[in-house]
Amino acid sequence: MPGSTITAPRTAVLVGPYLSGKTTLLEAMLHTSGTLHKKGKVQNGDTVGDSAPEARAHTMSVEMNVANADYLGQPWTFIDCPGSVEFANESQNALMVADMAVVVCDPDPDKAMALAPILHFLDDKKIPHLIFINKMDNLGTSPAIREVMDALQSASQRPLVLREVPIRDGDNVTGYVDLTSERAYAYQEGQPSKLISLPDSVKDREEEARQEMLENLADFDDDLLEKLLEDTVPSPDEVYAQFTKDLAEDLIVPVLMGSAEHDYGVRRLLKALRHDCPAPETTAARLGLPQKKTTQAQVFKTLHLPHIGKLSICRVWSGEIKDGDLFDTEKVSGLSYLQGHNMTKVSRAGAGDVVALGRMDSVKTGNLLTQQGIQDATDGWPEPIKPVFAQAISTQKHEDEVRLSTGLAKLVEDDPSVILESNEDTRQLLLWGQGELHLRVTLEKLERQYNVGVTCEPPKVAYKETIRNQTAIHARHKKQTGGHGEFGDVHLDIRPQQRGTGFAFESRVVGGAVPKQYIPAVENGVRDYLGAGPLGFPVVDLSVTLTDGQHHSVDSSDMAFRKAAAQAMREGMPACQPVLLEPIYEVHISVPNAFTSNAQTILSKRRGQILGFLAKDGWPGWDEVSAYLPQSEMQDLIMEIRSQTQGIGWFNWTFAHLMELTGRLADQAVAEQKEVA
């Protein structure tokens, strides 16, 4: 079987939906390659993947796990990625340095759509990938493999090419037929599959599937197409070579199958990777990196570990990295290979290697390390996924506030899809992420690694208030306590402004009634009041004009006029018919078109103003529904979207405008604000 020359280590990344069996597959690949003497189980918490305490507590992957192996003389790095969409940022960064992606899925047509976001990312970034249909031992009376293939094809922009057909014995799948070699194999648990005679029961299906495979390959090769038209049978070597070429160029998606739990098809998968996986220099070229002999390495994960410090996990593209090397002012302080949570120190790393570099303080995820220095991420490196869910957090102990800031800064660096925001309007510290589980895991790490416990609550809505009417008001601040007193006298006109214009102040005083040096103090006094109006919320969209006043040659001062202005605002604003404003966001929900009506229903129930929907650009079979939605209705929006779209719908949001809110909801918001005050 032809394949690329075995030289530099390859990297394969395992991705797929939650519960598809990626961690179990990683364990099977490590065991089959001889790296592990005994396979662990996810349920027992003893796998190489899911090595973090949080992963084992939740019985699921919550961050990428790196493992190394050697199969038939070829060194490999395997990276197991989380399946939950809430940790998708981890997968995207790992995939950027992958020579090949293995997309793991169930043999269930109803779950095929869950692959759409993953496959779209792979196609968009032109990352070669194959599909491994796992859990074939549980196929039972499920639909035939052609129905599974049809469902998977609907989620992929690239043609799927089946490389095997299953051999059934009643409801059980007992083996497979390789469509290239036309050889049949029987599964043997924990052992290589056994070569058997091609069963009569599968001959017709095998011939049909093989013809489909060859026709798919012929779409990308004129010589192969000519042979098929002339009814000439291509040799297995020609077919293998075509697979390798088309896969490296991301023109096709081969489909293999098996059962990771029983080691079915795992050796076949490893052999396919060994012969078809592109070399690291091909991957580097895909990222736009020039071919060099000097050092180039890309950081794709940052990790802060207790008692170890910061680790920058990188893939070396060319040259080599040695302990003590300098990149700008950053010195490599230790190199390590990773095997789950275990680390093995090494003195150097060469092209193709994945290693952790110690204590590179200024290096960030995406950075390219070169002998010329530390460079920003290469073109096309994915931006962190924008957060869609927030919690307001506060320390359980006042003395933990410094540790909170330090710990969260490191966790945000570890996971760029987590954002920390200090909200000036609500005076809350907000932690943003991809969902409730995402933030829960982040805070569990905060407590475990930095010994900081926090209290969470939903964020407050950043209500504002404005006025509908105008008024003229006169106020005098006078105070005599012996010696110099305080005296300030102002006449103010308060008027509403158009929505979104903010606050404006001007003076029309003539004749020196209020000396010029005190006019800024009057504006400051007005601004002091605007932090909380008659309804208790920040005031926006109004103008205040100083029209007249009086001063005292001895007792007037900046502070006296400042207090007089604030007093005038307190007395005048209630007469201006204050009204509550709620923030409105423009949201764009992306869903498969089978769920478009679900998205519209969700928005309607949440007081959304639907603006329309269009076919999502670049996403065949998907729609984007646009709407205006009040901030108060957005807190758990992502959870409902996912629950109504098999977990794959999402939304983007931007602030749009403020809108008047009246009635019961306004009364409730004002009452809650007064209770807090």
Side-chain angles (χ1 to χ4, degrees), residues 318-605:
S318 60
E320 67 175 17
I321 297 179
K322 300 185 298 296
D323 194 5
D325 279 353
L326 277 175
F327 296 97
D328 285 340
T329 58
E330 293 292 345
K331 182 178 180 180
V332 176
S333 179
L335 281 79
S336 301
Y337 285 133
L338 300 174
Q339 198 76 357
H341 67 284
N342 294 320
M343 300 172 61
T344 303
K345 292 216 174 222
V346 295
S347 60
R348 61 170 296 279
D353 281 330
V354 171
V355 288
L357 311 181
R359 300 179 183 177
M360 308 280 283
D361 291 338
S362 67
V363 172
K364 299 178 181 178
T365 297
N367 280 169
L368 185 68
L369 310 181
T370 72
Q371 290 180 332
Q372 289 72 43
I374 300 170
Q375 302 177 14
D376 291 336
T378 49
D379 290 342
W381 191 269
E383 292 291 329
I385 300 174
K386 187 173 181 179
V388 290
F389 182 81
Q391 290 278 10
I393 61 172
S394 57
T395 56
Q396 296 172 354
K397 300 177 183 178
H398 178 72
E399 59 269 23
D400 285 345
E401 289 186 357
V402 173
R403 280 209 302 265
L404 174 70
S405 299
T406 301
L408 284 177
K410 292 178 178 178
L411 291 173
V412 167
E413 187 177 10
D414 289 357
D415 184 353
S417 65
V418 175
I419 292 178
L420 192 63
E421 174 199 355
S422 182
N423 190 289
E424 295 181 359
D425 291 327
T426 62
R427 297 180 182 178
Q428 289 181 311
L429 184 65
L430 301 183
L431 190 66
W432 284 89
Q434 305 306 315
E436 190 273 336
L437 176 63
H438 188 207
L439 294 190
R440 190 194 319 162
V441 168
T442 300
L443 295 176
E444 287 172 0
K445 290 181 181 179
L446 178 69
E447 184 167 11
R448 175 177 62 86
Q449 296 182 202
Y450 304 101
N451 196 28
V452 179
V454 301
T455 300
C456 298
E457 62 179 349
K460 296 177 182 177
V461 177
Y463 291 112
K464 302 287 196 300
E465 60 180 276
T466 191
I467 55 176
R468 290 175 173 167
N469 292 336
Q470 64 185 64
T471 191
I473 188 72
H474 167 232
R476 173 177 292 178
H477 173 71
K478 184 177 181 181
K479 186 177 181 181
Q480 195 70 42
T481 57
H484 288 306
E486 296 181 7
F487 182 88
D489 185 287
V490 295
H491 292 257
L492 302 180
D493 278 354
I494 306 172
R495 298 172 181 268
Q497 292 207 111
Q498 281 190 331
R499 191 77 65 246
T501 54
F503 167 68
F505 177 85
E506 67 172 321
S507 171
R508 294 181 183 170
V509 174
V510 295
V514 177
K516 289 183 178 180
Q517 68 265 31
Y518 296 138
I519 291 176
V522 175
E523 180 178 356
N524 288 336
V526 172
R527 289 184 180 275
D528 289 343
Y529 173 82
L530 296 181
L535 304 180
F537 297 96
V539 185
V540 296
D541 300 339
L542 80 166
S543 67
V544 176
T545 304
L546 174 63
T547 59
D548 201 358
Q550 296 183 46
H551 73 284
H552 189 277
S553 59
V554 175
D555 293 341
S556 288
S557 64
D558 283 346
M559 183 56 67
F561 274 98
R562 188 166 185 164
K563 290 180 178 179
Q567 178 182 331
M569 294 298 292
R570 283 194 301 273
E571 295 173 359
M573 283 289 290
C576 294
Q577 198 176 349
V579 61
L580 192 66
L581 298 175
E582 69 172 336
I584 304 297
Y585 286 80
E586 184 174 334
V587 299
H588 300 275
I589 301 179
S590 299
V591 293
N593 49 31
F595 301 117
T596 301
S597 60
N598 293 18
Q600 292 172 323
T601 300
I602 291 170
L603 291 168
S604 297
K605 289 192 306 182

